[in-house]
Amino acid sequence: MNKKELVAEIAERTGTTKKLAAEVLDSFVAVVGEKLAKGEEVKLVGFGTFEVAERKPRKGVNPRTKEAIQIPGGKVPKFRAGKELKEKVK
């Protein structure tokens, strides 16, 4: 499912327009992104938790030259599914 299909499904289930559903989805994504950028986590009970994980620097190999390289660490967004979501997927 892509964003367009998700917006259409949300609009149909809520009885709103696709435009309003798209605005709500865009706002949700923006808020989650802003909170993660501040180092906060976003918990949605039953759905899951969005959080920031710290990645350590590691060694890698350049596939073209086969030369060893150092891959820098950093922060990456992470999602952990909640109990209810995991049960729905089973």
Side-chain angles (χ1 to χ4, degrees), residues 2-88:
N2 61 30
K3 183 179 177 181
K4 185 178 179 180
E5 295 167 339
L6 180 59
V7 166
E9 184 76 22
I10 292 170
E12 183 180 317
R13 287 186 182 205
T14 60
T16 61
T17 64
K18 289 182 183 179
K19 182 178 179 181
L20 180 60
E23 289 175 10
V24 170
L25 182 59
D26 289 341
S27 294
F28 171 77
V29 171
V31 168
V32 170
E34 289 168 9
K35 295 302 176 185
L36 292 177
K38 291 179 183 178
E40 300 176 28
E41 59 180 36
V42 179
K43 293 182 181 183
L44 301 172
V45 176
F47 182 69
T49 303
F50 296 92
E51 60 190 1
V52 177
E54 193 72 34
R55 238 191 215 165
K56 295 179 182 178
R58 61 191 193 279
K59 293 180 183 178
V61 177
N62 182 330
R64 284 190 181 164
T65 64
K66 309 295 184 212
E67 179 182 335
I69 58 172
Q70 184 68 21
I71 301 170
K75 295 179 181 181
V76 294
K78 183 178 176 184
F79 176 76
R80 286 184 298 138
K83 184 179 178 181
E84 290 177 30
L85 181 59
K86 287 179 183 178
E87 289 174 0
K88 285 182 180 182

